[in-house]
């Protein structure tokens, strides 16, 4: 990360509130290209929040405050918009984000059993992350793969025609994979606890 | 010769990428002169991964449910040894399912490579746009759409020509053409498939519409859960721009139109036009009162026209074949075709496009092959959270906007979720209310609080705590919510409850007065017992029971203590001998 004090749309000073204290390196330096591109285009708040979440995994209060400052928006508005949409998260997520479909087709074809299987195996409920920082469980409404229902998506991979056994098997495999990759899981655990 | 892999989201979920990698490896290993290409979704999602092998003369053979092992067989036995390989080929029955359809919107899906604009051009792509821009006036374009009788496919079924005409006549020079690709109905995926399989059809349709209303800027509002659709559409936009179909001076006419994507952020209500506009402007997606309609005051208060993906995808076909050809299909009031996402307990789930006027039975039984495991059909849900459940007695209902509305359901955007005897209709009503209650934006009290109260009542009923008067109370709330809500979300949220009460009142009564769920779906209403004749005393149920309600010695018949049992169903799931009886 660059050490220079980045001057963006507001002058950084001790009480500016963005977390830089006037002399610290900007903690959200990576967001600068996004802000450069969108901060002055009206109506871009959701896009900025999406890109910020892509970069940092979730929207912390500091991050939202920073975006508010940089875009000259009230923090209440940033928070208001962010909380309106289900895509935005305010807590860190695990290495594997499980998006469990609870759409109509999946419901009819037994998504409840799939949910139970996930909850039994990982011992977490909707919205929670496992203590090892590996898995987060989120419910979503329809992933658009209804003919393969019940369906879940883990990060970028979609799994269809799920059964209890299949779910347990998939999760066990991911767990094992993460175990073989200690560097990886260490980093993600750190990120999660940050 | 080439190998073409069906690579829509459904294909990929079923393993298309792995199959593609397998093919590429085998072809490289053998040094064969075979190219591997991809295409979108043909609609028979239950057969994915689907692989077409096309010889140099253009003859196509389709293989279905292909695994990585099958990839080797296809190369070794079919391509090299020229054997039949009948067991992997698509069956005649499945071909008939496709054959019975009439494909306009899905004309290219599963046939062309969505990432290659040349593929689209080879099937006369952009010819309709060229004709509209170079030979037709905006008035003539709108007239053709009027003759075609095209109605909006996003749910409400409003005549498209009327909206275009209003936006065109609306004063102002800056106008916007917006595509609603929010596809909020959970259980429907027509729009996703068009975006993934034939994105240029959407772009071309939007370009024609933009020309008609005089818009120079277009936006496609795509649902956040559709990452592949966004990638493919962006590629298509870039290619169209490169070829000069987007940008300044299109076809040398001086007309300018450009398109960008806005990814939604997950809110069902943003499918509603005014909420969608608020969301495009970076705000909370709260609907506002109409009028003014978007055609007068839309995006940044400028005249804006919003249409659904499928509506736009119909447009190029209409101009290539004429409005009359489109109007020749369908019923008196509902013209053309409609795409449905046929899912749930149906044998052959996937996307089907049929001319309006067929009956529900035609779609579910003739094309969809009937109910899985030949169980009894109970109902079909149309219109998602805004729609309703249509019972078996109305299976002869024609697919036509007015006819479907008469049943209490709506045509909707195309979700058709089939339910069998194991689906509890009270639970379905509860499911949809749970959805609308969560998705209500909170602006109107009736929608916000009313749906919450209804959900509480439905929760109680499905948990066996229903009370006398609950049905009447639900009905009363339904009518009040309809009257007291500003937007379509609240106005239609009661539909799933009203239709299930109308057609399946006995199920509500069974739950409330007899503490019985005949579909055996509401767990608190069930009793679990062990069949003495089948139990071998393996102990699996006892071990897995979370509350130690099961007793029994190893190798002896086990028993469930009804006073302790919390009806979680675990014993039923783990029993390998089918000896747990649910009643
Ligand atoms: C709560 C709600 C959700 C909606 N969701 C969608 C949607 O996901 N996709 C869509 O095209 N239309 C949706 N609509 C309908 C749109 O408001 C609008 O009528 C439609 O996009 C117009 O396009 P069309 O005339 O081509 O159908 C929704 C309406 C409401 C009230
Ligand atoms: S309902 Fe689950 S993928 Fe559509």
């Amino acid at each position: 990360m660059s050490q220079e004090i980045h001057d963006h749309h507001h002058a950084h000073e001790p009480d500016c509130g963005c977390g830089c204290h006037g002399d610290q390196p900007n903690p959200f330096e990576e967001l600068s290209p996004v802000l450069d591109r969108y901060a002055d285009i009206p109506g871009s708040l959701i896009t900025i929040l999406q890109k910020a979440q892509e970069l940092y995994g979730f929207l912390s209060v500091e991050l939202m405050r920073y975006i508010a400052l940089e875009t000259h928006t009230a923090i209440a508005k940033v928070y208001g918009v962010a909380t309106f949409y289900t895509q935005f998260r305010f807590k860190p997520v695990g290495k594997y984000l499980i998006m469990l479909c609870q759409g109509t087709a999946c419901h009819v074809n037994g998504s409840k059993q799939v949910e139970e299987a996930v909850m039994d195996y990982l011992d977490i409920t909707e919205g929670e992350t496992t203590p090892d920082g590996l898995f987060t469980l989120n419910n979503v409404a329809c992933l658009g793969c209804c003919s393969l229902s019940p369906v879940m998506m883990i990060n970028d991979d979609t799994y269809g025609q799920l059964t209890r056994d299949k779910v347990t098997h998939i999760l066990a495999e991911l767990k094992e994979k993460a175990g073989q990759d200690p560097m990886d899981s260490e980093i993600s655990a750190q990120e999660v606890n940050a | 010769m080439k190998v073409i892999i069906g690579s829509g989201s459904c294909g990929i979920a079923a393993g298309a990428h792995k199959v593609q990698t397998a093919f590429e490896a085998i072809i490289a290993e053998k040094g064969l002169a075979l190219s591997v290409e991809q295409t979108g979704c043909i609609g028979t999602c239950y057969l994915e991964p689907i692989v077409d092998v096309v010889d140099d003369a253009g003859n196509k053979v389709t293989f279905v449910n292909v695994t990585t092992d099958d990839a080797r067989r296809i190369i070794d036995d079919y391509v090299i040894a020229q054997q039949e390989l009948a067991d992997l080929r698509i069956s005649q029955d499945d071909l008939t399912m496709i054959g019975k359809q009439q494909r306009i919107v899905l004309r290219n899906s599963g046939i062309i490579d969505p990432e290659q604009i040349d593929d689209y051009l080879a099937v006369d792509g952009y010819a309709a746009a060229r004709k509209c821009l170079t030979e037709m006036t905006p008035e003539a374009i709108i007239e053709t759409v009027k003759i075609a009788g095209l109605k909006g496919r996003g749910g409400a079924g409003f005549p498209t020509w009327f909206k275009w005409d209003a936006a065109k006549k609306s004063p102002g020079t800056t106008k916007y053409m917006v595509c609603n690709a929010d596809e909020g109905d959970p259980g429907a995926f027509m729009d996703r498939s068009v975006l993934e399989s034939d994105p240029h059809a959407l772009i071309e349709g939007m370009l024609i519409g933009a020309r008609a209303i005089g818009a120079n800027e277009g936006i496609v509002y795509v649902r956040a859960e559709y990452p592949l659709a966004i990638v493919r559409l962006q590629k298509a936009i870039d290619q169209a721009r490169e070829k000069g179909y987007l940008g300044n001076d299109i076809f040398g006419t001086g007309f300018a139109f450009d398109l960008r994507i806005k990814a939604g952020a997950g809110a069902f209500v943003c499918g509603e036009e005014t909420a969608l506009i608020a969301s495009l402007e970076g705000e909370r997606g709260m609907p506002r009162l109409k009028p003014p309609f978007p055609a007068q005051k839309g995006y940044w208060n400028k005249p804006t026209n919003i249409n659904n993906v499928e509506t736009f995808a119909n447009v190029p076909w209409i101009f290539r074949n004429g409005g009359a050809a489109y109007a020749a299909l369908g019923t008196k009031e509902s013209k053309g075709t409609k795409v449905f996402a046929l899912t749930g307990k149906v044998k052959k789930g996937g996307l089907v496009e049929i001319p309006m006027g067929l009956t529900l039975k035609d779609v579910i039984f003739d094309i969809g092959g009937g109910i899985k495991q030949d169980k009894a059909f109970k109902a079909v849900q149309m219109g998602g959270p805004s729609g309703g459940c249509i019972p078996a007695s109305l299976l002869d209902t024609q697919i036509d906007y007015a006819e479907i509305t008469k049943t209490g359901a709506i045509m909707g955007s195309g979700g058709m979720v089939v339910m069998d005897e194991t689906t509890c209709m009270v639970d379905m009503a509860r499911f949809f209310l749970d959805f609308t209650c969560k998705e209500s934006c909170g602006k109107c009290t009736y929608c916000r609080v009313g749906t919450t109260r209804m959900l509480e009542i439905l929760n109680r009923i499905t948990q066996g705590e229903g009370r006398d008067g609950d049905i009447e109370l639900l009905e009363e709330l339904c009518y009040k919510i309809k009257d007291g809500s500003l937007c379509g979300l609240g106005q239609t949220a009661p539909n799933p409850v009203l239709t299930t009460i109308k057609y399946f009142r006995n199920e509500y009564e069974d739950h409330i007065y007899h503490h019985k769920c005949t579909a055996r779906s509401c767990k608190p209403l069930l009793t679990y017992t062990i069949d003495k004749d089948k139990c071998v005393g393996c102990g699996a149920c006892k071990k897995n029971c979370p509350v130690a309600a099961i007793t029994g010695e190893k190798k002896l018949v086990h028993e469930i203590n009804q006073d302790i049992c919390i009806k979680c169903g675990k014993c039923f799931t783990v029993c390998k001998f089918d000896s747990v009886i649910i009643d």
Side-chain angles (χ1 to χ4, degrees):
Chain A
M1 201 186 289
S2 139
Q3 291 293 307
E4 68 179 22
I5 299 167
H6 191 82
D7 186 324
H8 204 276
H9 292 265
H10 80 277
H12 291 269
E13 46 196 48
D15 294 320
C16 69
C18 81
C20 75
H21 305 294
D23 54 357
Q24 302 275 309
N26 178 357
F28 301 115
E29 182 65 41
E30 295 100 323
L31 198 60
S32 289
V34 174
L35 289 166
D36 285 340
R37 174 142 180 232
Y38 293 104
D40 296 323
I41 304 176
S44 301
L45 183 54
I46 294 171
T47 311
I48 294 173
L49 291 171
Q50 284 170 331
K51 306 252 174 206
Q53 179 160 291
E54 250 169 56
L55 281 170
Y56 302 103
F58 71 105
L59 303 175
S60 62
V61 174
E62 293 74 27
L63 180 53
M64 283 188 280
R65 184 180 296 139
Y66 176 72
I67 292 171
L69 275 168
E70 298 290 315
T71 56
H72 303 288
T73 318
I75 170 115
K77 178 168 172 193
V78 175
Y79 189 71
V81 168
T83 49
F84 187 84
Y85 296 97
T86 49
Q87 188 188 23
F88 297 117
R89 297 182 292 260
F90 308 97
K91 279 190 295 193
V93 285
K95 181 179 161 87
Y96 297 110
L97 176 61
I98 305 170
M99 289 188 283
L100 196 68
C101 180
Q102 302 282 10
T104 319
C106 289
H107 180 79
V108 170
N109 279 331
S111 60
K112 263 269 144 323
Q113 278 91 294
V114 175
E115 185 180 12
E116 281 168 11
V118 176
M119 295 200 304
D120 283 351
Y121 187 77
L122 296 176
D123 203 14
I124 50 173
T125 55
E126 137 91 320
E128 292 181 347
T129 302
T130 49
D132 60 5
L134 272 185
F135 296 96
T136 302
L137 176 61
N138 269 3
N139 285 342
V140 295
C142 192
L143 293 163
C145 296
C146 320
S147 17
L148 301 173
S149 57
V151 178
M152 69 175 173
M153 207 165 159
I154 302 183
N155 294 351
D156 288 333
D157 293 320
T158 311
Y159 302 86
Q161 284 159 343
L162 296 172
T163 57
R164 272 191 91 91
D165 289 347
K166 219 165 147 184
V167 170
T168 318
H169 185 76
I170 292 164
L171 295 177
E173 225 168 44
L174 287 175
K175 211 168 185 172
E176 194 178 321
K177 205 168 118 201
Q180 288 165 354
D181 215 350
M183 270 301 282
D184 240 30
S185 63
E186 213 170 88
I187 292 170
S188 83
Q190 266 173 15
E191 279 168 359
V192 164
N193 295 326
Chain B
M1 211 179 207
K2 58 187 176 186
V3 177
I4 305 175
I5 318 241
S7 307
S9 282
C10 36
I12 292 171
H17 280 338
K18 283 187 197 128
V19 171
Q20 178 163 357
T21 315
F23 269 107
E24 282 164 353
I26 300 164
I27 291 167
E29 169 199 312
K30 306 207 177 233
L32 298 171
L34 261 176
S35 62
V36 180
E37 294 174 11
Q38 61 172 12
T39 185
C41 168
I42 187 92
T44 49
C45 305
Y46 64 102
L47 296 175
E48 296 283 3
I50 300 172
V51 172
D52 290 333
V53 178
V54 183
D55 68 16
D56 295 330
N59 300 314
K60 180 171 90 175
V61 172
T62 302
F63 298 99
V64 297
N65 297 125
V66 177
T67 63
T68 45
D69 293 339
D70 296 337
R72 189 164 285 279
R73 286 185 59 206
I74 292 173
I75 295 290
D76 285 345
D77 299 353
Y78 177 73
V79 175
I80 297 174
Q82 295 183 355
Q83 289 168 10
E84 271 290 302
L85 215 55
D87 61 319
L88 286 183
R89 285 197 189 202
I90 189 166
S91 69
Q92 203 49 45
D93 198 33
D94 292 324
L95 276 176
T96 326
M97 171 198 177
I98 304 173
K100 280 185 182 152
Q101 302 183 34
Q102 171 118 24
R103 299 187 151 225
I104 290 179
V105 171
L106 303 178
R107 58 194 178 273
N108 297 323
S109 294
I111 295 169
I112 67 167
D113 183 341
E115 299 193 9
Q116 306 290 340
I117 192 170
D118 288 331
D119 271 30
Y120 185 66
L121 293 173
V123 289
D124 269 349
Y126 290 101
R130 184 184 296 274
K131 181 167 147 198
C132 288
L133 265 66
T134 58
E135 297 169 23
M136 296 176 78
T137 60
E139 289 78 10
I141 295 176
I142 292 171
E143 185 58 29
T144 305
V145 175
K146 186 176 177 180
I147 293 169
L150 177 63
K151 287 184 179 177
R153 300 294 191 237
F158 204 72
T160 304
W161 76 270
F162 191 90
K163 284 180 25 174
W164 287 14
D165 195 47
K168 178 184 168 295
K169 289 183 176 147
S170 195
T173 46
T174 308
K175 296 182 184 180
Y176 296 100
M177 195 64 169
V178 174
C179 173
N180 188 343
D182 199 38
E183 193 150 79
D185 175 0
F189 53 98
M190 305 73 50
D191 297 348
R192 171 185 68 74
S193 190
V194 171
L195 293 168
E196 286 179 3
S197 307
D198 197 13
H200 287 288
L202 169 67
I203 300 175
E204 187 175 4
M206 285 187 80
L207 173 58
I208 294 170
R211 167 67 179 170
I213 69 164
N216 302 115
E217 198 180 328
I219 308 167
V220 187
Y221 187 90
V222 188
R223 200 161 174 252
E225 288 87 344
Y226 289 174
L228 182 66
I230 294 179
V231 170
R232 294 231 169 114
L233 180 61
Q234 187 59 54
K235 273 191 191 161
I237 291 175
D238 293 343
Q239 290 171 354
R241 208 177 276 142
E242 215 166 89
K243 293 258 183 198
Y245 304 137
L246 289 175
N248 291 320
D249 195 22
I250 301 170
F251 302 124
T253 58
F255 180 69
F257 181 65
D258 211 346
L259 203 55
R260 65 187 157 91
I261 299 175
K262 181 93 177 179
F268 171 65
V269 70
C270 287
E272 197 280 337
E273 308 185 299
T274 58
L276 188 149
I277 289 169
S279 182
L280 283 178
E281 293 173 353
E283 304 284 334
R284 289 163 70 91
M286 315 270 270
R288 61 154 175 79
L289 208 59
K290 292 188 275 191
F293 290 94
Q296 284 102 41
K297 268 181 192 253
Y299 185 49
W300 301 124
N301 286 327
K302 303 284 189 224
T304 303
N305 180 75
I306 303 180
N307 279 124
N308 165 263
V309 176
E310 189 183 331
T311 312
F312 282 121
N314 273 298
V315 170
W317 190 94
I318 290 174
F319 284 90
R320 272 204 302 277
N321 299 276
Y326 193 82
L329 299 165
T331 62
K332 190 158 169 282
E333 295 298 330
S334 305
K335 302 296 187 192
T337 62
K338 178 79 195 85
V339 184
F340 290 99
L342 191 57
T343 60
K345 304 280 186 176
V346 68
K347 273 188 193 147
K348 300 177 181 178
L351 280 189
V352 296
E353 181 173 1
I354 45 123
M356 300 271 192
L358 291 193
T359 65
L360 292 170
K361 196 189 239 154
D362 292 334
V363 176
I364 298 166
F365 288 88
D366 271 10
I367 297 177
I371 311 301
K372 275 184 194 164
Q373 298 164 359
D374 291 318
K375 290 200 170 134
F377 169 90
K378 187 187 263 183
V380 57
Q381 211 287 340
M382 286 180 76
S386 312
C389 294
I390 303 174
S393 57
L394 297 177
L395 268 177
D396 287 324
T397 305
Q398 270 196 325
I399 293 173
D400 170 286
Y401 284 96
E403 293 298 313
I404 302 282
T405 306
K406 271 191 213 155
T407 68
I410 57 165
M411 176 82 84
S413 58
M416 224 188 231
V417 185
V418 177
M419 298 160 192
D420 68 9
E421 59 204 17
T422 64
T423 318
C424 167
M425 300 318 277
V426 186
D427 177 63
M428 270 335 280
R430 188 204 56 78
F431 167 81
F432 281 114
L433 253 291
D434 182 53
F435 181 83
T436 35
C437 177
K438 280 182 190 141
E439 295 294 339
S440 167
C441 79
K443 189 166 178 164
C444 308
T445 314
Y446 268 105
C447 177
R448 182 184 68 244
V449 185
T451 55
T452 311
R453 291 291 95 83
M454 283 179 72
L455 177 61
E456 284 166 4
I457 298 169
L458 290 163
N459 274 337
R460 265 202 291 106
I461 298 178
T462 52
Q463 279 158 12
E465 290 157 24
R467 302 179 200 138
D468 191 22
D470 272 349
I471 302 179
E472 292 72 21
L473 184 57
L474 280 173
E475 285 176 322
E476 185 188 340
L477 279 167
C478 282
Y479 293 115
K480 291 198 165 145
I481 293 171
K482 271 178 177 284
D483 287 343
S485 302
L486 183 148
C487 88
L489 192 150
Q491 287 163 5
T492 59
N495 287 350
V497 178
L498 284 174
T499 51
T500 46
I501 292 181
K502 183 170 170 192
Y503 299 117
F504 301 96
R505 197 180 181 101
N506 60 329
E507 289 199 25
Y508 281 84
E509 290 169 348
D510 282 344
H511 281 72
I512 297 172
Y513 301 110
H514 311 295
H515 291 265
K516 243 188 155 35
C517 174
T518 39
R520 295 186 183 157
S521 152
C522 298
K523 279 189 180 160
L525 293 172
L526 308 175
T527 45
Y528 291 81
T529 45
I530 291 173
D531 187 336
K532 291 189 178 67
D533 298 333
K534 281 187 180 166
C535 177
V536 298
C538 72
C541 54
K542 185 175 162 189
K543 205 171 106 211
N544 281 283
C545 178
V547 289
I550 302 178
T551 48
E553 294 298 320
K554 263 240 158 325
K555 301 207 170 136
L556 293 176
V557 171
H558 284 46
E559 203 177 342
I560 302 175
N561 184 334
Q562 299 301 333
D563 295 333
I564 306 176
C565 176
I566 54 164
K567 302 169 185 191
C568 70
K570 232 162 242 153
C571 48
F572 177 80
T573 323
V574 295
C575 180
K576 294 206 165 63
F577 305 93
D578 293 331
S579 59
V580 177
I581 307 166
I582 306 177
D583 199 25

